[in-house]
């Protein structure tokens, strides 16, 4: 089969040059987004070839979350650190896979900060299920020293966020204030093409996504919220946050990973997962909360900290929050 070239649609580089180049708020963003696209292109090829190349397996290291780092987790982290460092615009990088802050440079040109989950959904790698990469992008303040503290900014200070989902197609979604654009990788030309312009979460919520296997561990109020969702919506749960979020963004839906009495902070990472996706959800008309407050208002105390996450259609997120808080 020959692919029909979507020649009339802009590539990511054309789109970025047009949309952001003359806007001083987005200085350097072009280079960062292009670097992410280049890294995603490399990782996508590795993922597709992983089984054949027999590179799946554990690296033997234990990462800061105490999980076994799979080979592709490390490869993705290294690749994105490399392309982002070479962009010339990044002062510091935080990665879920790296305990310490990666300080890249502190010239005036190094005006951006990136925090990332380089490979999300690792447990789905070796079963050919969708996985992804997630990026939050922050501006470095004028004269702000390039230290570890650069990673402790609130989500509301993000200037942009992006994710890539490696699924039946590879899609990169990029958001800046009030604008969410989706690009699909043309597997022949190896270019991202604008395929999902001006994304908004549909008004109607169709599904809820949660690990129902955790039901018995939840407190009573959260169980009540789950029961309400079961009554109203279909359940869809991939187990890769980025894939669950992408489906819900396109079709309408809510994702929740709450805390429980044993782990009140839940499982997901504030800076690498919740804040970037929270930013994207809000720009698309949705909402993102922890159990208590707007995700993007949380002041991080540690780059690797976790948070409960409820994200998706605004009305349903708010109703669910209310039940979780009142019981
Ligand atoms: P990661 O692979 O980056 O560690 O993230 C895994 C996360 C997330 O993608 C997903 O939503 C969640 O783990 C699934 O957790 P459960 O298996 O507990 O449902
Ligand atoms: Mn993850
Ligand atoms: Mn990860």
């Amino acid at each position: 089969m020959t692919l029909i070239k979507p020649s009339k649609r802009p590539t990511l580089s054309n789109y970025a040059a047009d949309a952001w180049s003359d806007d001083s708020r987005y200085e350097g963003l072009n280079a960062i987004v292009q670097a992410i696209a280049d890294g995603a292109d490399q990782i996508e090829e590795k993922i597709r070839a992983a089984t054949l190349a027999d590179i799946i397996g554990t690296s033997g290291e234990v990462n800061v979350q105490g999980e076994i780092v799979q080979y592709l987790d490390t490869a993705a982290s290294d690749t994105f650190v490399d392309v982002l460092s070479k962009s010339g615009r990044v002062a510091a990088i935080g990665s879920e896979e790296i305990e310490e802050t990666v300080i890249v440079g502190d010239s005036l040109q190094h005006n951006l900060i990136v925090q990332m989950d380089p490979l999300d959904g690792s447990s789905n790698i070796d079963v050919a299920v969708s996985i992804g990469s997630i990026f939050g992008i922050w501006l470095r303040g004028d004269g702000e020293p390039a230290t570890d503290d650069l990673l402790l900014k609130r989500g509301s200070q993000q200037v942009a966020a992006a994710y890539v989902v490696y699924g039946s197609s590879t899609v990169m979604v990029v958001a800046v204030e009030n604008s969410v654009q989706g690009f699909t990788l043309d597997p022949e030309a190896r270019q991202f093409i604008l395929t999902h312009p001006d994304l908004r979460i549909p008004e109607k919520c169709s599904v809820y996504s949660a690990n129902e296997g955790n039901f018995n561990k939840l407190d009573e109020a959260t169980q009540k919220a789950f029961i309400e969702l079961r009554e109203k919506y279909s359940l869809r749960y991939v187990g890769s946050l980025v894939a669950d979020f992408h489906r819900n963004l396109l079709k309408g839906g809510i994702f929740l990973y709450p805390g429980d009495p044993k782990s009140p902070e839940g499982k997901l990472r504030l800076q690498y997962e919740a804040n970037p996706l929270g930013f994207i959800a809000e720009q698309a008309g949705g909402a993102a909360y922890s159990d208590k407050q707007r995700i993007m208002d949380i002041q991080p105390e540690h780059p690797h900290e976790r948070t409960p996450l409820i994200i998706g259609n605004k009305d349903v997120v708010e109703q669910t929050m209310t039940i979780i808080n009142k019981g």
Side-chain angles (χ1 to χ4, degrees), residues 33-267:
V33 168
Q34 205 50 61
I36 292 173
D38 290 350
D41 178 17
Q42 295 176 41
I43 290 304
E44 196 259 2
E45 286 199 315
K46 283 203 169 80
I47 291 166
R48 305 270 177 238
T51 307
L52 291 171
D54 194 28
I55 55 173
I56 286 175
T58 56
S59 67
E61 293 166 38
V62 176
N63 75 3
V64 287
Q65 277 77 39
E67 297 153 359
I68 299 297
V69 182
Q70 291 187 273
Y71 167 81
L72 282 173
D73 272 331
T74 314
S77 188
D78 292 350
T79 300
F80 286 118
V81 166
D82 183 51
V83 290
L84 287 166
S85 303
K86 285 182 183 151
S87 76
R89 304 302 309 218
V90 182
I93 303 168
S95 166
E96 185 194 73
E97 299 301 335
I98 305 174
E99 171 106 43
E100 305 295 330
T101 311
V102 180
I103 303 288
V104 182
D106 68 354
S107 80
L108 280 178
Q109 289 284 301
H110 298 101
N111 66 325
L112 294 163
I113 299 147
V114 178
Q115 301 196 67
M116 62 178 177
D117 178 353
L119 207 64
D120 173 66
S122 329
S123 67
N124 280 326
I125 291 173
D126 52 0
V127 289
V129 172
S130 299
I131 51 181
S133 306
I134 308 173
F135 306 87
I137 303 166
W138 282 260
L139 265 182
R140 177 181 165 210
D142 271 351
E144 199 178 1
T147 65
D148 294 358
D149 287 351
L150 289 181
L151 301 191
L152 299 179
K153 293 183 184 293
R154 285 193 177 89
S156 54
Q157 292 174 271
Q158 285 170 107
V159 66
Y163 67 80
V164 182
V165 57
Y166 314 99
S168 51
S169 56
T170 295
V171 177
M172 176 163 168
V173 171
V174 185
V176 295
E177 194 181 357
N178 292 323
S179 158
V180 183
Q181 312 294 329
F183 303 84
T184 302
L185 184 66
D186 175 338
E188 288 182 1
R190 305 305 296 174
Q191 272 187 332
F192 282 94
I193 310 288
L194 181 64
T195 46
H196 299 72
D198 303 319
L199 280 167
R200 304 281 302 168
I201 189 161
E203 295 268 309
K204 187 172 171 290
C205 177
S206 315
V207 304
Y208 79 105
S209 316
N211 186 337
E212 279 282 353
N214 290 338
F215 185 80
N216 289 337
K217 296 184 200 156
L218 304 174
D219 65 28
E220 217 175 297
T222 312
Q223 288 186 337
K224 202 168 158 198
F226 270 54
I227 292 165
E228 286 258 332
L229 292 167
R230 283 178 197 162
E231 281 166 8
K232 292 191 185 150
Y233 309 110
S234 287
L235 168 65
R236 295 282 185 280
Y237 191 65
V238 176
S240 298
L241 171 63
V242 81
D244 281 310
F245 177 82
H246 184 63
R247 182 203 51 249
N248 294 355
L249 174 64
L250 264 52
K251 307 249 169 155
I254 171 178
F255 173 98
L256 65 163
Y257 208 115
D260 60 55
K262 273 202 177 149
S263 325
E265 70 290 356
K267 176 177 184 186

